[in-house]
Amino acid sequence: RNLKLRLRYEYLNADVSDDPEPWEPDADDLAAIEEEIRAAVEREAFTHELIAGSGVYALCLVDREDRAIVRKFTKPVDADLEAHTLNGFPYFDGPATGAPVLAQSVASLECEVRQPVEVGNHTLFLGEIVNAAFLKDEETPVLRMEDTRMNYGG
């Protein structure tokens, strides 16, 4: 519950803009944060194949201090199933879904795909949160897109 509330806080604070009429979430917006996570994945990506085939995925929130980890995941992942590592970083199988969860994450959200929706060259996977857990102290600052100095182009 605390993780979902923290995500709600981060989500609401992520929509800061110069818009003179700021967005104000309604009850449906807030309920969606409580129940589901949406993941848009390019259909040509190997990740798409994995999510579509397994019907599950995990969202890992990374510590702001671990900014460099993101660069390791911009290219195809080197998975060592015996050592339980992804690009050299330890992971464990999520207890609810079996989806890989980075061991050094601040927190993770495991999701089961409830509906895939094709949008342009991506699929929007609507996933129900089936497990949420903190792996570090709840007050640990999490990495934001602007912290990475990267831009999403896909």
Side-chain angles (χ1 to χ4, degrees), residues 128-140:
E128 178 184 355
I129 300 169
V130 294
N131 187 46
F134 277 101
L135 306 175
K136 292 185 177 181
D137 184 275
E138 293 181 24
E139 299 303 316
T140 305

Side-chain angles (χ1 to χ4, degrees), residues 60 69 84 89-92 100-106 135-136:
C60 297
I69 194 173
H84 258 71
F89 296 98
Y91 76 91
F92 61 90
V101 174
L102 289 173
Q104 69 190 73
S105 299
V106 172
L135 306 175
K136 292 185 177 181

Side-chain angles (χ1 to χ4, degrees), residues 67 70-71 143-152:
R67 175 173 53 202
V70 175
R71 295 216 180 268
L143 190 66
R144 302 165 302 172
M145 189 67 179
E146 60 263 28
D147 298 326
T148 67
R149 300 186 192 123
M150 297 171 62
N151 294 309
Y152 178 71

Side-chain angles (χ1 to χ4, degrees), residues 5-118:
L5 289 174
R6 175 148 180 213
L7 282 176
R8 178 186 292 181
Y9 174 80
E10 296 290 338
Y11 176 66
L12 294 176
N13 284 306
D15 193 61
V16 176
S17 68
D18 295 329
D19 189 344
E21 293 184 33
W23 171 78
E24 292 193 26
D26 60 24
D28 290 337
D29 294 322
L30 297 177
I33 297 168
E34 289 284 333
E35 303 300 327
E36 67 182 40
I37 296 289
R38 299 166 188 106
V41 181
E42 195 171 20
R43 277 195 292 284
E44 297 296 319
F46 183 58
T47 301
H48 185 280
E49 184 180 328
L50 294 173
I51 295 173
S54 68
V56 299
Y57 59 93
L59 171 68
C60 297
L61 302 177
V62 178
D63 189 325
R64 198 169 291 165
E65 297 295 319
D66 290 336
R67 175 173 53 202
I69 194 173
V70 175
R71 295 216 180 268
K72 296 283 188 178
F73 289 91
T74 60
K75 302 291 182 207
V77 172
D78 177 25
D80 185 334
L81 301 180
E82 285 188 29
H84 258 71
T85 61
L86 299 171
N87 289 342
F89 296 98
Y91 76 91
F92 61 90
D93 296 330
T97 64
V101 174
L102 289 173
Q104 69 190 73
S105 299
V106 172
S108 68
L109 294 147
E110 292 178 79
C111 299
E112 292 179 352
V113 175
R114 293 297 178 232
Q115 182 179 2
V117 178
E118 291 190 11

